[in-house]
Amino acid sequence: MKRILLFLLCITMSSVMMANHPNPYMQKGASMISKGKYKDAIAQFEKVIDKWCEYGAAYDYRCYCYIKTGNIDGAVRDIVRSVRTGKERAKTIELFDKLSLNAADKLIEELKKECEVNPLRRNLYYYLGLAYQAKGDMDKLFSYQQKHQEALEKKIRADALKGTPKPVPD
């Protein structure tokens, strides 16, 4: 009897843990992608996004599915959301490069909106520069690289004011 109760407890705990982590959904979505079932994969990544809205990889993979199904507007929205999470991932950069070849104007429009809402998110300026580079506008590329640098400096100053001064080595 104790073994049965222990077994049931283990099953219950593992199902609770799985429900509180995005990996099972991500794995199922990746499996759907490998089978070419992009709409089914999108549904899995939406489950992740609904519960963990800052989980950038879910936006990356859903973006990929949108590209494969021809939904460029959805792909642009998701890559911008992925960039907004602030975590650099190779997949984000790869997808951004792919989108900037065909949808640079849409990317620029969406990134500018994000910059208005989140002016201290320096990675937004970085990606805006990349979008302008894809269009061949080097002046705007350099302008946004400068804004990226300025936002980084503001963040460093703000972080320095928050914390206690660190001793300077001799």
Side-chain angles (χ1 to χ4, degrees):
M1 182 69 168
K2 287 182 183 179
R3 285 185 180 173
I4 293 173
L5 287 175
L6 186 60
F7 176 73
L8 290 173
L9 180 65
C10 288
I11 289 175
T12 303
M13 290 301 292
S14 66
S15 66
V16 166
M17 288 173 59
M18 284 179 62
N20 290 317
H21 200 280
N23 279 352
Y25 302 112
M26 293 297 291
Q27 290 170 349
K28 195 168 184 180
S31 174
M32 295 292 146
I33 287 174
S34 68
K35 296 173 185 172
K37 297 180 178 182
Y38 302 111
K39 290 184 180 180
D40 293 336
I42 288 169
Q44 292 303 310
F45 301 130
E46 284 173 353
K47 289 177 184 176
V48 174
I49 291 164
D50 287 344
K51 287 182 93 172
W52 301 278
C53 63
E54 290 296 313
Y55 197 77
Y59 292 110
D60 290 342
Y61 284 97
R62 190 171 71 173
C63 170
Y64 175 80
C65 292
Y66 283 148
I67 290 170
K68 292 302 243 178
T69 59
N71 182 350
I72 299 304
D73 290 339
V76 167
R77 273 192 313 276
D78 273 2
I79 204 64
V80 170
R81 288 175 182 153
S82 179
V83 167
R84 185 178 58 205
T85 66
K87 295 176 180 70
E88 293 295 323
R89 288 175 301 281
K91 190 71 173 170
T92 305
I93 295 169
E94 173 192 332
L95 290 166
F96 188 89
D97 286 345
K98 189 176 284 193
L99 277 171
S100 65
L101 295 174
N102 300 318
D105 291 329
K106 288 180 183 180
L107 283 167
I108 289 167
E109 180 183 332
E110 290 297 317
L111 286 165
K112 281 185 173 181
K113 288 178 192 173
E114 281 298 317
C115 286
E116 289 173 12
V117 176
N118 298 300
L120 293 179
R121 289 279 175 120
R122 64 188 182 280
N123 63 332
L124 294 171
Y125 299 113
Y126 171 77
Y127 281 97
L128 251 171
L130 291 180
Y132 278 111
Q133 181 181 19
K135 288 185 68 166
D137 190 337
M138 295 302 128
D139 290 337
K140 290 217 174 143
L141 162 65
F142 295 130
S143 170
Y144 281 103
Q145 282 181 338
Q146 181 64 35
K147 287 182 181 187
H148 175 260
Q149 186 64 33
E150 289 167 3
L152 175 60
E153 290 168 4
K154 283 181 186 175
K155 181 172 181 359
I156 290 169
R157 282 193 300 275
D159 288 349
L161 291 174
K162 285 183 203 172
T164 57
K166 295 183 173 89
V168 177
D170 296 321

